[in-house]
């Protein structure tokens, strides 16, 4: 994450190791759209100014880019959120699309000059609402072939469309 002030010569960078990203579902139609939202520049102004020691509150731009991605990347889709109008946690059931592969090189701060492609290995599914439910998962062990559905003690062959 980097922050660069607009009106003074000050910038700050923060590096953090990670293995998973929590991505928005609400307002995003696809994984690509959600990643673009995650990496978009946020302008910090008004009540949201950035505090700079010795300079006080400053207008700034905050940006998230990646130096590298881990060998295995977990993407957590934020399907639960607090609704202040209902005063309750609700499940987001919006349609959300993702492909079996994704090139993450556009999100790197320095392009490697080649695709940085990840293959979809598994999908964890929650059935139910925010207060209870059941999980099952679809796994493609070799990342290219047959999908399998794991549901408690049951293992069945699954279609690509199901997964």
């Amino acid at each position: 994450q980097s922050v660069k002030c607009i009106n003074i010569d000050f910038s700050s960078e923060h590096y953090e190791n990670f293995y998973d990203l929590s991505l928005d579902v609400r307002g995003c139609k696809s994984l690509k759209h959600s990643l673009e939202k995650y990496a978009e520049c946020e302008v910090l102004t008004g009540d949201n100014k950035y505090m700079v020691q010795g300079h006080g509150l400053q207008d700034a731009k905050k940006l998230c880019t990646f130096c590298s991605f881990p060998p295995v990347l977990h993407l957590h889709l934020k399907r639960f959120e607090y609704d202040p109008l209902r005063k309750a946690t609700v499940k987001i059931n919006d349609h959300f699309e993702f492909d079996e592969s994704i090139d993450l090189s556009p999100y790197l701060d320095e392009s490697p000059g080649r695709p940085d492609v990840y293959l979809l290995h598994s999908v964890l599914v929650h059935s139910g609402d925010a207060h209870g439910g059941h999980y099952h998962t679809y796994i493609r062990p070799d990342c290219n072939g047959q999908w399998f559905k794991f549901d408690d003690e049951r293992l069945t062959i699954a279609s690509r469309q199901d997964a």
Side-chain angles (χ1 to χ4, degrees):
Q1 172 179 306
S2 65
V3 177
K4 182 165 178 44
C5 290
I6 296 170
N7 300 316
I8 64 170
D9 185 22
F10 178 85
S11 63
S12 171
E13 292 184 349
H14 174 75
Y15 298 95
E16 192 173 309
N17 292 327
F18 67 96
Y19 288 100
D20 59 275
L21 293 175
S22 291
L23 300 172
D24 288 336
V25 171
R26 183 174 304 287
C28 299
K29 61 184 178 190
S30 67
L31 179 59
K32 184 177 179 183
H33 185 220
S34 188
L35 283 164
E36 289 169 357
K37 183 177 176 182
Y38 189 93
E40 75 185 0
C41 180
E42 178 183 359
V43 179
L44 307 175
T45 60
D47 291 339
N48 198 25
K49 288 186 178 188
Y50 185 71
M51 176 58 82
V52 179
Q53 189 170 5
H55 297 280
L57 294 171
Q58 295 292 320
D59 292 336
K61 292 182 179 182
K62 182 173 139 181
L63 183 64
C64 180
T65 57
F66 300 93
C67 299
S68 64
F69 290 103
V72 175
L73 177 63
H74 300 263
L75 300 176
H76 167 249
L77 302 180
K78 297 191 285 189
R79 289 220 175 252
F80 297 97
E81 67 181 31
Y82 183 75
D83 182 347
L85 296 176
R86 295 186 208 173
K87 297 182 181 176
T89 300
V90 295
K91 183 175 180 182
I92 302 165
N93 288 308
D94 297 0
H95 181 78
F96 191 84
E97 296 179 3
F98 51 91
D99 294 321
E100 289 186 36
S101 67
I102 187 165
D103 179 7
L104 297 178
S105 59
Y107 308 101
L108 291 169
D109 59 358
E110 292 183 23
S111 174
R114 58 170 170 65
D116 200 357
V117 176
Y118 279 75
L119 301 176
L120 182 63
H121 177 264
S122 60
V123 178
L124 181 64
V125 178
H126 178 265
S127 301
D129 62 22
H131 305 290
H134 178 75
Y135 286 97
H136 64 273
T137 189
Y138 294 96
I139 299 177
R140 185 171 58 154
D142 65 1
C143 292
N144 287 314
Q146 181 65 57
W147 283 96
F148 297 92
K149 180 179 179 181
F150 292 79
D151 190 354
D152 293 335
E153 296 87 27
R154 291 181 305 271
L155 168 63
T156 56
I157 292 175
S159 71
R160 177 182 174 270
Q161 198 61 19
D162 287 341

